[in-house]
Amino acid sequence: MNQHSLVSISDLSKEKMLRLLEQARYFEEHPNHKILDGKVVGTLFFEPSTRTRLSFETAVNRLGGRIIGFADANTTSSSKGETLKDTIKMVSNYVDLIIMRHYLEGAARYAAEVTDIPVINAGDGANQHPSQTMLDLYSIYKTQGTLQGLTITLVGDLKYGRTVHSLIMAMKYFSPTFRFVACDELQMPKEYLKYCDEQGIDYSIHTDFSAEVINTSDIIYMTRVQRERFTDLAEYERVKDLYTLHNAMLDNSRDNLRILHPLPRVNEISPDVDDNPKAYYFNQARNGLYMRQALICDALQIAPDA
Amino acid sequence: MTTNKTSLAVAALRNGTVIDHIPADQLFKCVKILGVENLSNQLTIGNNLMSHKLGAKGIIKIADITFPEKVLNRVALVAPTAVVNIIRDYHVVEKRPVVLPQTVVGIVRCSNPKCITNNEPMATRFEVVDAESRTIRCHYCNHATTGAKADII
Ligand SMILES: [Zn+2]
């Protein structure tokens, strides 16, 4: 176990989060700082995720490091029945850092336990995806100038959306007010409501994506409502358009409001929002690059300005 | 004398360990947790015995053995009411309740089929997140379950 591994957002203290935000800002100003010279990073994607892999690999390349790895499990020995442990042990002989995506939940924790080199979790099933959460945090911080005391509205699939669950956990240090906007079938699970209660996080639950909710938000975080999440397809047909954001809905919103979305989107944000300066989801993806540069350097214990 | 038949049965053991006051529906999980089916020691298992506290209870008696406290405490996960009696020369020399440990390693199967522990030869590990309800959370995938529902390996 290497203590600089990043498996879950709950592994990060408030101080460390703030330090990572500052480092991401540094990389935004110096994206091509070659401080990974001589380092080899393994990107092990047991499940394909082109978006996340390209972001991590760009981060390593811009830092001047080298990459080995694979983009899906069919090309690895795990398809021949090798255990995850053995694959991790083998790769650990070659690289300085492992960035791993896996379809099984808890795989990243286990991988981090069986090796002495640091592991960054790039998503393990429905469980954790901490670099996504940190780039969300960076996007909020950058657009609002602070993380403190913001009103954040989460919309869409709050039941299965791991990004919104992790965001709640990450924001606990910063006295947020959350609005949970979803149909009954996809509302925030009880365990997260309980978490908010325990942490003293203010929240309210809405089934209407109303003007009142929109016009008092600092951040609106949209998520995909997927058909396969519904047990009752008639219910899906009934609600699928209720949680779509159109440009006209933003007419009386706050000047500082920004719209976030983890991407890819389907139809929950209408294309007419894209040209609104409050649309931030494409910039959000770019912020992922800087945040991942910060996470990689932290895992390797290399100071950004070295 | 108010000794009932059960306590007589306990006393009848010369040397060994008795785990008493197990809820009847959890008895065989306790047997599994302790792994006593693999022992060659004399073993008596009673179930659906009368109990004022539990209605129906189970009891496990194993001759000529002492378990580490850590092992006995695992029983608390499914049978928090269980009481351990250490018997020497027909006398109860020690009587104590079982205490739920902070972590539960290698005993419970995770209920999440997509959990790494169900797909890799490795020990499971749970943290007790709420002792009162005996809620345990998988150290790997974060799925929670309760002791009463726990699937014993
Ligand atoms: Zn699990």
Side-chain angles (χ1 to χ4, degrees):
Chain A
M1 179 89 198
N2 181 298
Q3 57 166 323
H4 302 295
S5 289
L6 176 60
V7 173
S8 160
I9 193 71
S10 56
D11 296 345
L12 297 175
S13 66
K14 180 182 180 181
E15 290 66 36
K16 184 149 183 187
M17 280 184 191
L18 293 173
R19 194 164 68 238
L20 287 165
L21 295 173
E22 285 313 316
Q23 291 175 354
R25 189 207 294 273
Y26 174 87
F27 285 117
E28 182 157 10
E29 288 157 10
H30 310 85
N32 297 310
H33 197 158
K34 308 284 185 223
I35 47 180
L36 289 195
D37 187 33
K39 298 287 182 192
V40 179
V41 175
T43 50
L44 313 187
F45 278 58
F46 293 88
E47 165 190 71
S49 172
T50 308
R51 194 175 296 274
T52 303
R53 189 170 55 83
L54 291 181
S55 178
F56 270 113
E57 293 189 349
T58 305
V60 174
N61 279 314
R62 287 194 179 274
L63 292 167
R66 305 297 295 259
I67 293 164
I68 64 162
F70 49 83
D72 77 88
N74 294 332
T75 60
T76 76
S77 42
S78 77
S79 61
K80 295 178 194 146
E82 187 179 52
T83 62
L84 175 60
K85 180 181 176 177
D86 287 7
T87 306
I88 296 295
K89 286 279 195 199
M90 181 267 294
V91 173
S92 297
N93 292 320
Y94 308 142
V95 301
D96 302 291
L97 167 68
I98 289 174
I99 295 167
M100 185 179 96
R101 172 99 166 191
H102 206 288
Y103 50 91
L104 291 172
E105 293 157 27
R109 175 77 63 204
Y110 183 59
E113 283 175 358
V114 299
T115 178
D116 292 329
I117 68 163
V119 174
I120 293 179
N121 183 5
D124 59 334
N127 190 31
Q128 293 284 329
H129 192 10
S131 66
Q132 173 71 48
T133 310
M134 284 307 296
L135 79 86
D136 290 343
L137 225 54
Y138 182 53
S139 298
I140 295 171
Y141 181 63
K142 228 176 94 175
T143 59
Q144 306 298 314
T146 178
L147 289 175
Q148 205 63 43
L150 298 172
T151 298
I152 300 174
T153 298
L154 307 176
V155 186
D157 179 358
L158 308 186
K159 185 174 180 185
Y160 299 100
R162 80 180 158 188
T163 54
V164 295
H165 301 158
S166 296
L167 188 60
I168 292 173
M169 297 174 81
M171 287 300 296
K172 72 170 176 180
Y173 301 116
F174 307 105
S175 317
T177 300
F178 278 108
R179 273 81 164 275
F180 303 140
V181 180
C183 64
D184 291 336
E185 195 157 341
L186 296 182
Q187 253 305 343
M188 190 59 74
K190 276 199 188 71
E191 56 170 308
Y192 290 100
L193 300 180
K194 188 168 164 244
Y195 180 85
C196 288
D197 291 334
E198 285 165 1
Q199 301 291 332
I201 296 172
D202 228 0
Y203 66 88
S204 53
I205 295 169
H206 308 259
T207 46
D208 275 355
F209 192 18
S210 67
E212 198 237 314
V213 163
I214 292 169
N215 296 342
T216 53
S217 295
D218 300 310
I219 292 287
I220 296 178
Y221 197 107
M222 302 293 297
T223 63
R224 251 181 312 161
V225 175
Q226 291 163 284
R227 182 197 194 99
E228 57 268 29
R229 298 300 193 196
F230 285 80
T231 46
D232 178 1
L233 280 182
E235 175 71 3
Y236 170 74
E237 290 301 326
R238 193 183 69 77
V239 305
K240 68 173 181 183
D241 296 324
L242 294 179
Y243 304 101
T244 297
L245 184 66
H246 299 279
N247 198 33
M249 294 161 75
L250 298 172
D251 284 350
N252 296 309
S253 60
R254 291 179 174 172
D255 291 340
N256 65 309
L257 171 72
R258 291 296 178 273
I259 315 298
L260 303 187
H261 189 299
L263 301 181
R265 73 172 149 173
V266 185
N267 53 6
E268 56 280 353
I269 302 177
S270 153
D272 68 4
V273 181
D274 294 357
D275 294 328
N276 191 314
K278 293 173 184 175
Y280 196 72
Y281 26 92
F282 297 120
N283 309 57
Q284 184 184 356
R286 189 173 60 231
N287 288 338
L289 170 62
Y290 311 130
M291 179 47 79
R292 289 181 172 116
Q293 289 181 303
L295 294 172
I296 288 163
C297 286
D298 183 78
L300 288 167
Q301 290 292 288
I302 293 172
D305 45 3
Chain B
M1 290 289 278
T2 55
T3 356
N4 61 35
K5 277 186 178 166
T6 313
S7 56
L8 276 176
V10 170
L13 191 66
R14 180 169 184 175
N15 290 300
T17 301
V18 176
I19 301 117
D20 198 0
H21 298 290
I22 299 169
D25 58 348
Q26 302 292 329
L27 175 78
F28 288 97
K29 281 192 185 175
C30 293
V31 170
K32 225 170 160 186
I33 287 175
L34 292 170
V36 291
E37 69 264 50
N38 302 317
L39 294 173
S40 54
N41 304 47
Q42 261 190 31
L43 172 69
T44 314
I45 296 171
N47 206 13
N48 299 316
L49 306 171
M50 284 286 287
S51 161
H52 292 301
K53 264 196 292 186
L54 300 170
K57 69 167 184 178
I59 189 167
I60 304 170
K61 298 192 290 176
I62 315 114
D64 305 315
I65 196 166
T66 50
F67 291 92
E69 192 169 341
K70 236 176 76 180
V71 173
L72 290 169
N73 279 340
R74 289 176 187 162
V75 165
L77 188 65
V78 298
T81 53
V83 174
V84 173
N85 296 274
I86 311 294
I87 314 292
R88 265 185 220 121
D89 236 353
Y90 300 108
H91 290 287
V92 177
V93 294
E94 199 188 329
K95 195 181 181 90
R96 59 181 156 80
V98 289
V99 182
L100 189 63
Q102 257 319 299
T103 55
V104 178
V105 178
I107 303 166
V108 177
R109 184 174 289 116
C110 184
S111 58
N112 174 12
K114 291 190 72 186
C115 178
I116 184 72
T117 61
N118 287 317
N119 295 273
E120 179 90 3
M122 61 185 283
T124 65
R125 183 187 180 96
F126 290 81
E127 271 110 40
V128 176
V129 288
D130 184 53
E132 178 100 23
S133 61
R134 283 175 290 134
T135 303
I136 55 176
R137 187 183 293 281
C138 177
H139 169 71
Y140 294 98
C141 78
N142 291 310
H143 271 233
T145 187
T146 60
K149 287 189 199 144
D151 180 9
I152 307 300
I153 292 170

